[in-house]
Amino acid sequence: MAIKGFDRETFSSTLHSLLSASQPIDDPQRLKSRDREVDDLIMALEAPGRHAFIYGDRGVGKSSLAQTVATLVQSSDNAPIITSCDSKSTMLGVIQTVIAQAEQSIRDESKESSISLKLPMFEYKTNTTRNVQYTQVNDMHSAVTALCQLSQSHSDKPVVVIDEFDTISSLEEREQFSTLLKHLGDRKAKVKLIFTGIGESLNDLLCGHVSSARQLHQEKLCVLPWDGRYDIIENAFETFNIKLPDDIQYKIAGLSDGFPSYVHLICEKILVECYRPDELIDTVDFPLFLRALNEAVRSVVETLRHDYDKATLGKPEHFYHILWAMADSADLIRNTEHIVHSYSGICDQLEIDALETKKFKTEFAKLRKETHGSIIVRGLGGRPGWFRFKENMVRGFVRMCAELNEVELDFDRNFTAGVQTAKASHKSRVYQPLTPTESRVERLRKNTRGK
Ligand SMILES: Nc1ncnc2c1ncn2[C@@H]1O[C@H](COP(=O)(O)OP(=O)(O)OP(=O)(O)O)[C@@H](O)[C@H]1O
Ligand SMILES: [Mg+2]
């Protein structure tokens, strides 16, 4: 026992009840810093005929938000129905799965209440007065009818989460959902659908077919604000009565880049490192933090590390330094000049010679090629001179790799006003402008915030 008061079993169960790097959350108490989004979604779903679409980067917490809202909106007579799409999904297939799950939940409920039910295919009775026969789903009309029936059979206010909508490869199938929503509105269906998908806009996901916009509340989800990141960290370490110094808390919050699964993962690995040795640990020190970070990096899923590995393994060392430079600052989209600035700062820290600017630019351009995982893409709608990581979640991983190599990145500084930023905090450090131009930018930003 290396954490006071926790044996092996209670340590493990407490750890996994607090930190879940690989499973969405559906509990409002555990969903941090999403109060505004939860309120907006609940309000929107109260409107008759309206459904919701949550979209944003991979890993920002879309499924967790969808499942938590579904739990809150769903009436207490049953649980929400949750289903995911894949590349081969069709609209009819998804609705068939939803109906099958609804039937299953009623069978389970009936088993629990040990009331014998007649279940010839789609017919059932419950302990209430419900007695509904589902229509078999084989076309648009029957899909709409079956969904309408959910409010007589499954629950008074049924909520369905359709996760990972972006993975459906067929454009026609995606568009079928727009038509479905329209018909549900026309039939005054009580069921509420919450979709999630990776994407920058709903237009991307519906491929420009926006006719469903009237029926859909759109919620763009950004990375977790700093206070939410700190909430997860504090909650975990307070429960185990382990002291985590402020600078390490700040590192975890910054390295995660606002992707909650990284916060969960790093905290989990630190707590496991605290538990491992024989002697009691009550404070986390820096070597322990680095060991845990190393474990976290090793366990990051292959899909996220793939492009980083492709860009760096077997290639000259400067590719690491350029990528770490890209992950510096709070700006998600970065201008060449600012990347060069970050790069030379990193070379100074490592006490190595930086590449000449011309050479830097040719090497940097390679990171946009397939040979280097195309890990960098153009930002700001393809404007020359502006770049971002192909996936923002990769940036958090790159930050962790930089930290492991003792390179300190600045998580707070905004070089550029008005571009997408990962900064959203009242707890982060105050940024001190360095040049007259930056002072102007900072003044502008403060003015904008004041409005
Ligand atoms: N607001 C939050 N507070 C605390 N933890 C969160 C929050 N949102 C998400 N998480 C945690 O982060 C992890 C990733 O969240 P989630 O699976 O919801 O993201 P996602 O956007 O659906 O990811 P993907 O794009 O891979 O489907 C989950 O394990 C969950 O535990
Ligand atoms: Mg998800």
Coordinates of all heavy atoms in Angstrom, one line a residue, residues 22 28 35 48 71 100 102 121 146 205 211-212 214 223 236 245 257 296 303-304 327 340 370 404 415:
S22 N -10.6 6.6 -21.4 CA -11.1 5.9 -22.7 C -12.6 5.7 -22.7 O -13.0 4.8 -23.5 CB -10.3 4.6 -22.8 OG -9.9 4.1 -21.6
P28 N -23.5 14.3 -15.0 CA -23.3 15.8 -14.9 C -22.2 16.2 -13.9 O -21.6 17.2 -14.1 CB -24.7 16.3 -14.6 CG -25.6 15.2 -14.8 CD -24.9 13.9 -14.8
D35 N -21.0 23.8 -18.5 CA -22.4 24.2 -18.0 C -23.1 25.0 -19.1 O -24.3 24.7 -19.3 CB -22.3 25.1 -16.7 CG -21.7 24.3 -15.6 OD1 -21.5 23.0 -15.7 OD2 -21.4 24.9 -14.5
P48 N -40.1 22.3 -29.7 CA -40.7 21.2 -30.4 C -40.0 21.0 -31.8 O -39.7 22.0 -32.4 CB -42.2 21.6 -30.6 CG -42.4 22.7 -29.6 CD -41.1 23.3 -29.3
T71 N -28.9 12.1 -20.8 CA -29.3 11.6 -19.4 C -30.2 12.6 -18.8 O -31.2 12.3 -18.1 CB -28.1 11.4 -18.5 OG1 -27.2 10.6 -19.3 CG2 -28.4 10.7 -17.2
A100 N -34.1 -1.6 -32.1 CA -33.7 -2.9 -31.4 C -33.3 -2.6 -30.0 O -33.7 -3.4 -29.0 CB -32.6 -3.6 -32.2
A102 N -34.3 -0.2 -28.1 CA -35.5 0.2 -27.3 C -36.2 -1.0 -26.9 O -36.6 -1.2 -25.7 CB -36.4 1.1 -28.1
M121 N -42.0 -10.9 -31.6 CA -41.3 -9.9 -32.4 C -41.4 -8.5 -31.8 O -40.7 -8.2 -31.0 CB -41.8 -9.9 -33.9 CG -41.3 -11.1 -34.7 SD -39.5 -11.2 -34.7 CE -39.1 -10.0 -35.9
A146 N -41.6 4.3 -36.5 CA -41.0 3.6 -35.4 C -40.5 4.6 -34.4 O -40.6 4.4 -33.2 CB -39.9 2.6 -35.9
L205 N -20.1 18.3 -42.4 CA -20.7 17.0 -42.1 C -21.9 16.7 -42.9 O -22.1 15.5 -43.2 CB -21.0 17.0 -40.6 CG -19.8 17.0 -39.7 CD1 -20.2 17.3 -38.3 CD2 -19.2 15.6 -39.7
S211 N -30.3 21.8 -45.5 CA -31.8 22.0 -45.4 C -32.3 21.6 -44.1 O -33.4 22.0 -43.7 CB -32.4 21.2 -46.5 OG -32.2 19.8 -46.3
S212 N -31.5 20.9 -43.3 CA -32.1 20.4 -42.0 C -31.8 21.5 -40.9 O -32.1 21.2 -39.8 CB -31.4 19.1 -41.6 OG -30.0 19.3 -41.6
R214 N -32.9 24.1 -39.9 CA -34.1 24.6 -39.0 C -34.4 23.6 -37.9 O -34.8 24.0 -36.8 CB -35.3 24.8 -39.9 CG -35.5 26.2 -40.4 CD -36.8 26.4 -41.1 NE -37.1 25.3 -42.0 CZ -38.2 24.5 -41.9 NH1 -39.1 24.8 -40.9 NH2 -38.5 23.6 -42.7
V223 N -12.0 23.0 -27.1 CA -11.2 22.2 -26.0 C -11.6 22.7 -24.6 O -12.2 23.8 -24.5 CB -9.7 22.4 -26.2 CG1 -9.2 21.7 -27.4 CG2 -9.3 23.9 -26.2
A236 N -9.1 14.6 -8.6 CA -8.5 13.3 -8.5 C -7.5 13.3 -7.3 O -7.5 12.3 -6.5 CB -7.8 13.0 -9.8
P245 N 2.1 19.7 -6.7 CA 2.6 21.1 -6.7 C 2.0 21.8 -7.8 O 1.7 21.3 -8.9 CB 4.1 20.9 -6.9 CG 4.4 19.6 -6.4 CD 3.2 18.7 -6.7
D257 N -3.4 20.4 -23.7 CA -3.9 21.3 -24.7 C -5.4 21.3 -24.7 O -6.1 21.6 -25.7 CB -3.4 20.8 -26.1 CG -3.2 21.9 -27.1 OD1 -3.4 23.1 -26.6 OD2 -3.0 21.6 -28.2
A296 N 2.4 7.8 -20.1 CA 1.2 8.4 -20.8 C 1.5 8.4 -22.3 O 0.7 8.0 -23.1 CB 0.9 9.8 -20.2
T303 N -3.2 5.6 -33.5 CA -3.7 6.6 -34.5 C -3.2 8.0 -34.2 O -3.0 8.8 -35.2 CB -5.2 6.6 -34.5 OG1 -5.7 6.6 -33.1 CG2 -5.8 5.4 -35.3
L304 N -3.0 8.4 -33.0 CA -2.6 9.7 -32.7 C -1.1 9.9 -32.9 O -0.6 11.0 -33.2 CB -3.0 10.1 -31.3 CG -4.4 10.5 -31.1 CD1 -4.8 10.7 -29.7 CD2 -4.8 11.8 -31.9
A327 N 4.0 23.3 -31.7 CA 3.1 23.1 -30.5 C 3.2 24.1 -29.5 O 2.6 24.1 -28.4 CB 3.4 21.7 -30.0
V340 N 9.1 30.2 -36.5 CA 10.5 30.4 -36.5 C 11.0 30.9 -35.2 O 12.0 30.5 -34.6 CB 11.0 31.4 -37.7 CG1 12.4 31.7 -37.5 CG2 10.7 30.7 -39.0
E370 N 3.2 13.7 -47.7 CA 2.8 12.4 -47.3 C 3.9 11.6 -46.6 O 3.8 10.9 -45.6 CB 2.2 11.6 -48.5 CG 1.7 10.2 -48.3 CD 0.7 10.1 -47.2 OE1 -0.1 11.0 -47.0 OE2 0.8 9.1 -46.5
L404 N 8.9 15.7 -22.4 CA 9.8 14.6 -22.0 C 11.2 14.8 -22.4 O 12.1 14.2 -21.8 CB 9.3 13.3 -22.7 CG 8.2 12.5 -22.0 CD1 7.8 11.3 -22.8 CD2 8.7 12.1 -20.6
F415 N 0.4 34.8 -30.1 CA 1.2 35.7 -30.9 C 0.3 36.5 -31.8 O 0.6 37.6 -32.3 CB 2.1 34.9 -31.8 CG 3.3 34.3 -31.2 CD1 3.2 33.1 -30.4 CD2 4.5 34.9 -31.3 CE1 4.3 32.6 -29.8 CE2 5.6 34.4 -30.7 CZ 5.5 33.2 -29.9

